[in-house]
Amino acid sequence: MSVKEISVNGRSYQWMQQPVVIVCIDGCEQEYINQAIQAGVAPFFKKMGEQGTVLMGDCVVPSFTNPNNLSIVTGVPPSVHGICGNYFLDTETNTEVMMNDAKYLRAETVLSAFSKAGAKLAVVTAKDKLRSLLGHHMQGICFSAEKADQATLSENGIENVLELVGMGLPSVYSAELSEFVFAAGVKLLEKERPDLMYLSTTDYIQHKYAPGTPGANAFYAMMDHYLSLLDSLGAVIAVTADHGMNAKTDACGNANVIYLQDQMDTHFGAGSTRVILPITDPYVVHHGALGSYATIYVNDQSQADHILQYLHRMQDLEAVLTRAEASARFELPADRIGDLVVVSQRLVVLGTSRHRHDLSELKLPLRSHGGISEQAVPVMLNRKTKALPDNHRLRNFDVLHLALNLVENT
Amino acid sequence: MSVKEISVNGRSYQWMQQPVVIVCIDGCEQEYINQAIQAGVAPFFKKMGEQGTVLMGDCVVPSFTNPNNLSIVTGVPPSVHGICGNYFLDTETNTEVMMNDAKYLRAETVLSAFSKAGAKLAVVTAKDKLRSLLGHHMQGICFSAEKADQATLSENGIENVLELVGMGLPSVYSAELSEFVFAAGVKLLEKERPDLMYLSTTDYIQHKYAPGTPGANAFYAMMDHYLSLLDSLGAVIAVTADHGMNAKTDACGNANVIYLQDQMDTHFGAGSTRVILPITDPYVVHHGALGSYATIYVNDQSQADHILQYLHRMQDLEAVLTRAEASARFELPADRIGDLVVVSQRLVVLGTSRHRHDLSELKLPLRSHGGISEQAVPVMLNRKTKALPDNHRLRNFDVLHLALNLVENT
């Protein structure tokens, strides 16, 4: 093989010597794995900790799915790749839109770069919303479990996926949606043997069940099983998460919500601000679009100082930052966040207006993410790795660097 | 009855119209109650949420047992009552000592004041370490489950406790130690009918088991049962906690420890600093004396600035404060904390030197407290209460105010 390494977004990645599988477990607060091990249902995770590598990393804030999946596959923060939410206010058109379109992506993915250099690639996501971003300019296999039945050779690099996987099309609100991703990954590794595979699940289960409870343990037992199969097929496996997950309730399971747009309207007048919740996506049954991060556009600049002071005095917030402060601290694209960024404390979420959040679908106490409190995520490999420099702040988006450059080949 | 209310430490408390029971559940992260309700084993907690009052409050930081129990029974922060740790450096004698002795207490307790005014008081603690502080200058019944067999009429206002309760003396490391507290509370309410009773458990279970796991659910089911008995006896019940509890590990249950004294010695020379861990108590099997709060005495003041800068650059810390900043922010007695206060992030604990912590007794992944991350605690009553002012930051040490002044008598 002539190509020894490639360079993407200022980082170098060595060519894989065996299949490399990167797994992003959506919403994987580390405690899920720990408690599944304690319950005795996750022997492979336990083995990874004992014989491989287990580290803690920081994800991107806002601790949401899209910004973090894109950071993982580009190796850089949102300030470089441009995806800073699931949802944002496109100031060019003054419309609130999903950030799923590849036109918003400002950096090449490592996946795309490897595919262009001749590597065999495969990407399987749970929800379809991530597929076009992750697969941007990538040659190879790329499909979602959600629309597995619609995969075509021309569009997805594969067809007849349901037959290949041997499962029916799962519901978008199910544990099976994520199981399908893993089952597909195992079949692809067996039959196609991609050089690099990226598997990304959905956090439907983590939004419902706390670590160590039966519903969560069953989900982690399922993943443990498939990870052991990937391992037995000889892959280097690196597991991380897009973000953690925390309860957002009081002791009786009532959601702790600050309706930020209502507060702004009451105190500064309707229309003075526009609150955007970048957690928003079409799948609101999980979380009612309630997370611990919001951004505020101040329409009435004459009130900007008062609004900032008001927010600084507000209880239950972890951080209130100006655009400049937030883009520096969280490495975000300044042109795609509001004038202010608000992060709530661990047990609290931010809403817009009460009437705009339908919580009737939330049958269980709210669990969600988005804040600094969900920044710590697992970074685990089934191999030993060379040490990182002492002062290196490990990020989830170092996972490709670890898997490709630092695995010790024994 | 002639006395209508009493005044203690600048706050007024109305005389009780029925027995009032204050329960401090040690280490009660709110999620323990929430998950026990979800598991269907805590019907009385659920009923309290539906028919009574459920609020969230902030405990005192450091989020340790002694400072918070004393805040609850005095109604004021440690800056007033003086107890700012389980353990501290007594600078008058230059010795590290337990902060259990009542000589360190700088404020009267509400318990003592009511007893002097003629009310019938009872206090039951799990561990004996709290008994002398809580019972200081109080007339009435005051004993610990740990030394229930040694209670005498002259010392504890009661004798033959094991017979009264109908349980054997529990081990100090057991769920039964806390059960004994509740069982005693029910018997005392039946037979002695105190006007005001304070029950304080131990967090042995919470240090071991995560919310929603079988060991935790069994413990909360036990408490739920006794609380329902206290309720059926006509008491106003107010439940709060001294602090929350979090995992302090990575995804495989390995403890995340910063050995602060080792770091200081390596970078600034042995003897340049003295790191104190105020979580320290004689019962280290729980947590190996590892919590998320430490205080540092700087012996070599010429290095003070460098030490502060070094700590500000250190990863995994939530706050690094000077004595003045810490005493202001956390309302602590400035003369009893070190030159610096260090608080680690949610998943991380602080140790002194590696060789001084015996983790061999930790059979389960470390769970602990002490930080800002364990500040949110439940405040629940079995009665509706009048509303607090909008801008009131609820504290766990408002619980006597709620139970005595704000309960709606229907």
Side-chain angles (χ1 to χ4, degrees), chain A residues 51-65:
Chain A
Q51 299 178 15
T53 303
V54 54
L55 301 166
M56 279 175 54
D58 280 339
C59 77
V60 166
V61 172
S63 48
F64 294 136
T65 293

Side-chain angles (χ1 to χ4, degrees), chain A residues 33-237:
Chain A
I33 297 173
N34 182 30
Q35 291 300 325
I37 292 172
Q38 287 302 310
V41 300
F44 184 73
F45 277 113
K46 186 178 181 191
K47 186 177 153 192
M48 280 178 89
E50 289 166 355
Q51 299 178 15
T53 303
V54 54
L55 301 166
M56 279 175 54
D58 280 339
C59 77
V60 166
V61 172
S63 48
F64 294 136
T65 293
N66 286 15
N68 277 285
N69 269 275
L70 272 295
S71 279
I72 293 169
V73 300
T74 59
V76 287
S79 54
V80 180
H81 67 63
I83 306 298
C84 56
N86 302 339
Y87 184 84
F88 87 122
L89 178 63
D90 187 337
T91 51
E92 287 181 22
T93 59
N94 198 34
T95 49
E96 298 178 25
V97 292
M98 296 302 298
M99 225 179 193
N100 291 349
D101 196 313
K103 73 181 180 190
Y104 297 119
L105 191 57
R106 290 172 170 168
E108 187 178 16
T109 72
V110 180
L111 310 175
S112 157
F114 266 116
S115 78
K116 285 181 189 159
K120 195 166 179 180
L121 268 285
V123 171
V124 188
T125 68
K127 294 181 187 171
D128 204 59
K129 69 174 181 178
L130 264 177
R131 190 186 48 84
S132 62
L133 285 172
L134 292 175
H136 189 53
H137 287 168
M138 192 197 89
Q139 287 135 32
I141 295 167
C142 181
F143 65 92
S144 69
E146 180 183 357
K147 298 194 175 171
D149 59 332
Q150 299 169 37
T152 62
L153 214 47
S154 60
E155 178 73 16
N156 306 94
I158 192 168
E159 57 189 357
N160 300 325
V161 170
L162 298 186
E163 280 170 52
L164 172 79
V165 177
M167 283 177 68
L169 188 73
S171 157
V172 74
Y173 296 119
S174 71
E176 288 71 30
L177 194 74
S178 294
E179 179 167 5
F180 194 98
V181 172
F182 277 100
V186 170
K187 291 292 184 188
L188 289 172
L189 190 56
E190 279 174 357
K191 302 202 170 169
E192 305 286 338
R193 207 148 179 92
D195 299 305
L196 180 57
M197 183 156 64
Y198 185 72
L199 305 177
S200 181
T201 67
T202 174
D203 57 4
Y204 173 73
I205 290 296
Q206 289 89 348
H207 274 288
K208 289 166 75 87
Y209 302 122
T213 59
N217 283 346
F219 189 69
Y220 280 79
M222 176 277 289
M223 291 195 283
D224 192 84
H225 168 67
Y226 286 105
L227 287 169
S228 73
L229 295 180
L230 293 169
D231 178 72
S232 67
L233 291 167
V236 168
I237 304 172

Side-chain angles (χ1 to χ4, degrees), chain A residues 29 34 56 251 256 346 373, chain B residues 29 34 56 251 256 346 365 373:
Chain A
E29 184 75 22
N34 182 30
M56 279 175 54
N256 296 318
R346 176 167 58 106
S373 42
Chain B
E29 184 74 22
N34 182 29
M56 280 176 55
N256 296 318
R346 176 168 58 105
S373 41

Side-chain angles (χ1 to χ4, degrees), chain B residues 163-203:
Chain B
E163 280 172 52
L164 171 79
V165 177
M167 285 177 67
L169 189 72
S171 158
V172 74
Y173 296 118
S174 70
E176 287 72 29
L177 194 74
S178 294
E179 179 167 3
F180 194 99
V181 172
F182 277 100
V186 170
K187 291 292 184 188
L188 289 171
L189 190 56
E190 278 175 358
K191 303 200 170 170
E192 305 287 338
R193 206 147 181 95
D195 298 304
L196 180 57
M197 182 156 65
Y198 186 71
L199 305 177
S200 181
T201 68
T202 174
D203 56 6

Side-chain angles (χ1 to χ4, degrees), chain B residues 58-69:
Chain B
D58 280 340
C59 78
V60 165
V61 173
S63 47
F64 295 135
T65 293
N66 286 16
N68 276 287
N69 269 275

